[in-house]
Amino acid sequence: MDIRLSGVSHSYDDFEVLRDITLEIPSGRIVCIVGPSGCGKSTLLRFIGGLEQPTKGEVLQIGSPPKDCLNPLTYIFQDFALLPWRSVRGNISLVLEDHGIRGARAEAIIADVLARTKLTEFHKALPKQLSGGMKQRVAIARALAVNPAVMLMDEPLSALDSQTRELLMDDLVSLWTRTPFTAVYVTHNLAEAVRLGHSIVVMSRRPGEIREVVHLETPLDQRHYGDSALEEKQKYLWQLMREEARAADAELVHV
Amino acid sequence: MSDLKSNTVATAQAQTRQVAFRGGGFAPASHRWIGALVFILLVTLAELGTRQGWISPLTLPLPSDVLKTFGELYASGLLWAHMSVSLTRLFVGALLGASLGVAVGVLIGLFSYVRAGLVPLTAALFPIPKIALLPLFVIWFGIDEGSKYALIAFGTFTPTVVATYGAVDNVDRSLIRMGQSFNLSWMSIVRKIVLPGAMPGILSGLRISLAIAIILLVAAEMLGAEYGIGAYILEAGSLYDLERLFAGVTILSLLGVTMSATIGFIERRLLNWRQ
Ligand SMILES: Nc1ncnc2c1ncn2[C@@H]1O[C@H](COP(=O)(O)OP(=O)(O)O)[C@@H](O)[C@H]1O
Ligand SMILES: [Mg+2]
């Protein structure tokens, strides 16, 4: 299943946030969206997942999701959004219960996603007992449980320290390598973008427009920390963003 | 470099002392036994004072006499007669008021029309001293149990409503968004996200509501009640029987402490997920 955005624009009252975004999200690829803060990345992601509607333009779903897919468009949030009163297992079963999946079938799915995110031994723990990195892995496990056609990730690693971020990027790469998934990955961190993106969409400051789409050919599992070709790409992206970021920063001061 | 050197020399010459600690206090810690100690101290003081005569027996009964009265009350079986009717009234009234209050509070929290309609009404009802309405309740619900249940229920209802809709308002919106993003049904979101998320606020509201319920219990039993702790206290008061008055008041205090401990227990069991 592919996603196509055509001519998406949006304003909150008179406050223009996004302008004429046209973008294709091909199946089985990770599309990163980078841009200065406040340029409308999160808003765009909410449109893609149907949590909000743009004032102009449309978000199209091309083809239908696979049969065993419970929730085609599934989010992973920056703040994890785990229910603190449910255990790791309970947080995952939450999203299965509404589809009538209980008992042995639920057990099988939960065991599988916990194994894939290396959380098997923590299934009874409450969120308050987990580190930030583990919490986000629970959120990833929960997303995997509904077998999404497209994963929508809004700065999923931004709340974590840089070491944990490296580890989780490795986890995401190995998850993707084993079973490629489609994802829109919003971030302001260029290092994440060049590690995980098959293509990187660079946005201008608000009102957000697409400045350039950069494609990376290196397979994900061959991109490593400190790779010089990646650093080169990252530098290039930074040079694209630098002025925008500075201007966006100055804008906030005037508000 | 030269800077660094002169610095070291300066330290060597100056006197050395430990950095003064100034981070103390402002950290609540639990000292359970102090509460009991203060209580025992006060009772001992009263006992000594009345025995030695520097507290007049007209102002305070001997704590040991109060205890004796309490023992007699227990032995005669009257304690249970009073307690059982009072506890029934408290239970029925508080259960009615609190469950209705939680239901209305949740509805106010979930539906903006209900909120617009009922919040001003609750604000109007909240400050009315419910005791003032007792005669009205007697006319509406009869002099028997009906008016007593109604008074206690009404008194617990309003604070429960206010606490509940505040608690629902405070449920983390990002969790609700998460529920929607996973296509959970409206009912599931309310049952599995909103209600558990509001539970801490509802329980702390219940603490206040139940204390109010005890106050109103006594008020309700001052009119047309033969048995009940309120009736017992009223009778003792009109006979100026200080021992019995204090015995009755002690029962009420114990009731309050038990109630608060029960809610504390429920909180620890139900809210162990909090940090
Ligand atoms: N619900 C809303 N109402 C009004 N303004 C909003 C709303 N959501 C976001 N905005 C504004 O839209 C702009 C883009 O927000 P967002 O998409 O969160 O940016 P980003 O994720 O790129 O940092 C910001 O200036 C923000 O203040
Ligand atoms: Mg954002």
Side-chain angles (χ1 to χ4, degrees):
Chain A
M1 188 181 91
D2 297 356
I3 299 279
R4 182 185 298 151
L5 303 174
S6 73
V8 169
S9 305
H10 189 70
S11 312
Y12 288 109
D13 300 322
D14 294 337
F15 190 71
E16 193 179 7
V17 177
L18 288 167
R19 186 184 286 172
D20 197 25
I21 305 279
T22 298
L23 182 66
E24 189 93 22
I25 295 140
S27 167
R29 313 245 109 189
I30 300 178
V31 175
C32 286
I33 299 180
V34 297
S37 75
C39 76
K41 305 182 294 293
S42 300
T43 311
L44 191 63
L45 208 63
R46 287 201 292 274
F47 295 153
I48 299 176
L51 286 179
E52 242 176 89
Q53 289 181 311
T55 39
K56 235 172 75 193
E58 36 187 15
V59 180
L60 301 170
Q61 193 174 309
I62 301 161
S64 47
K67 279 242 154 28
D68 56 347
C69 168
L70 299 175
N71 188 45
L73 303 169
T74 298
Y75 283 90
I76 291 172
F77 300 93
Q78 178 177 354
D79 61 355
F80 324 127
L82 300 177
L83 301 186
W85 49 86
R86 284 195 177 217
S87 64
V88 168
R89 165 184 300 274
N91 265 287
I92 299 172
S93 75
L94 172 81
V95 298
L96 298 174
E97 287 158 13
D98 265 46
H99 298 280
I101 299 178
R102 282 160 216 277
R105 252 179 92 206
E107 285 308 306
I109 293 176
I110 294 171
D112 172 51
V113 295
L114 287 180
R116 277 156 78 189
T117 47
K118 295 177 245 162
L119 285 167
T120 306
E121 57 199 295
F122 304 109
H123 65 102
K124 276 189 187 146
L126 285 172
K128 70 171 176 184
Q129 297 171 286
L130 303 176
S131 67
M134 289 223 273
K135 281 184 198 156
Q136 195 56 292
R137 283 190 353 240
V138 176
I140 294 170
R142 178 177 64 187
L144 292 174
V146 293
N147 206 357
V150 181
M151 290 235 240
L152 305 171
M153 313 201 216
D154 192 356
E155 312 217 6
L157 308 185
S158 294
L160 307 175
D161 62 72
S162 59
Q163 288 92 335
T164 314
R165 201 179 301 164
E166 282 301 324
L167 294 174
L168 255 121
M169 274 197 266
D170 289 342
D171 288 347
L172 284 174
V173 167
S174 66
L175 274 174
W176 189 89
T177 313
R178 213 171 325 144
T179 14
F181 52 84
T182 317
V184 183
Y185 189 107
V186 165
T187 180
H188 61 248
N189 184 320
L190 298 178
E192 285 173 32
V194 296
R195 273 295 287 290
L196 298 170
H198 293 100
S199 56
I200 299 168
V201 178
V202 182
M203 289 179 65
S204 69
R205 68 175 188 271
R206 191 185 63 79
E209 286 178 286
I210 295 181
R211 277 207 55 183
E212 192 169 331
V213 180
V214 178
H215 294 276
L216 295 179
E217 301 306 336
T218 326
L220 290 193
D221 53 352
Q222 285 166 32
R223 302 180 187 178
H224 297 292
Y225 181 74
D227 189 318
S228 63
L230 291 185
E231 303 243 298
E232 213 41 56
K233 282 282 183 196
Q234 195 177 326
K235 249 183 220 149
Y236 174 69
L237 288 171
W238 174 233
Q239 165 247 311
L240 275 179
M241 270 183 63
R242 190 188 174 100
E243 278 313 306
E244 299 289 343
R246 195 205 301 279
D249 189 46
E251 204 168 279
L252 286 176
V253 177
H254 294 303
V255 164
Chain B
M1 218 43 223
S2 62
D3 241 26
L4 206 68
K5 211 173 209 167
S6 66
N7 247 336
T8 337
V9 172
T11 343
Q13 282 164 351
Q15 57 170 327
T16 322
R17 60 167 189 267
Q18 203 156 29
V19 173
F21 173 63
R22 48 189 169 158
F26 302 102
S30 94
H31 305 287
R32 278 160 185 272
W33 47 273
I34 290 191
L37 197 74
V38 168
F39 182 75
I40 293 170
L41 202 75
L42 279 178
V43 172
T44 318
L45 216 66
E47 181 77 29
L48 276 178
T50 29
R51 266 186 201 284
Q52 294 180 351
W54 41 271
I55 299 178
S56 143
L58 280 179
T59 50
L60 213 62
L62 257 169
S64 52
D65 279 350
V66 173
L67 196 68
K68 212 185 296 157
T69 316
F70 195 80
E72 283 161 11
L73 191 65
Y74 177 77
S76 68
L78 275 175
L79 175 66
W80 184 238
H82 289 302
M83 282 293 271
S84 59
V85 285
S86 282
L87 285 179
T88 312
R89 285 167 187 154
L90 196 63
F91 183 76
V92 174
L95 190 72
L96 269 175
S99 45
L100 222 64
V102 169
V104 171
V106 169
L107 290 179
I108 289 177
L110 291 177
F111 302 105
S112 50
Y113 278 106
V114 181
R115 174 183 303 255
L118 292 188
V119 167
L121 187 66
T122 344
L125 292 179
F126 206 176
I128 299 176
K130 310 298 180 297
I131 298 170
L133 297 181
L134 184 57
L136 191 67
F137 284 156
V138 169
I139 298 170
W140 285 358
F141 303 103
I143 188 95
D144 298 329
E145 299 307 295
S147 60
K148 297 177 180 65
Y149 294 158
L151 185 73
I152 296 170
F154 192 41
T156 41
F157 174 75
T158 35
T160 310
V161 170
V162 173
T164 303
Y165 80 71
V168 172
D169 289 349
N170 275 330
V171 173
D172 192 348
R173 294 290 118 176
S174 68
L175 293 182
I176 295 176
R177 254 251 144 123
M178 181 278 292
Q180 291 175 323
S181 82
F182 278 96
N183 260 340
L184 302 195
S185 66
W186 186 86
M187 249 337 264
S188 283
I189 292 179
V190 172
R191 217 157 46 81
K192 297 170 185 171
I193 300 177
V194 175
L195 284 183
M199 200 46 83
I202 293 176
L203 282 180
S204 68
L206 224 49
R207 241 176 225 284
I208 298 171
S209 306
L210 291 183
I212 293 177
I214 296 181
I215 296 175
L216 290 176
L217 168 73
V218 177
E221 287 177 344
M222 290 188 166
L223 210 70
E226 188 182 352
Y227 286 105
I229 299 164
Y232 177 77
I233 291 177
L234 188 73
E235 194 190 84
S238 54
L239 296 175
Y240 213 78
D241 186 342
L242 284 190
E243 281 82 20
R244 289 175 64 193
L245 183 80
F246 269 79
V249 170
T250 309
I251 295 173
L252 288 180
S253 287
L254 287 177
L255 204 60
V257 171
T258 316
M259 207 100 104
S260 157
T262 311
I263 291 191
F265 177 75
I266 294 174
E267 275 180 340
R268 276 196 300 282
R269 287 297 299 275
L270 229 51
L271 307 180
N272 67 338
W273 49 268
R274 286 194 297 190
Q275 306 291 343

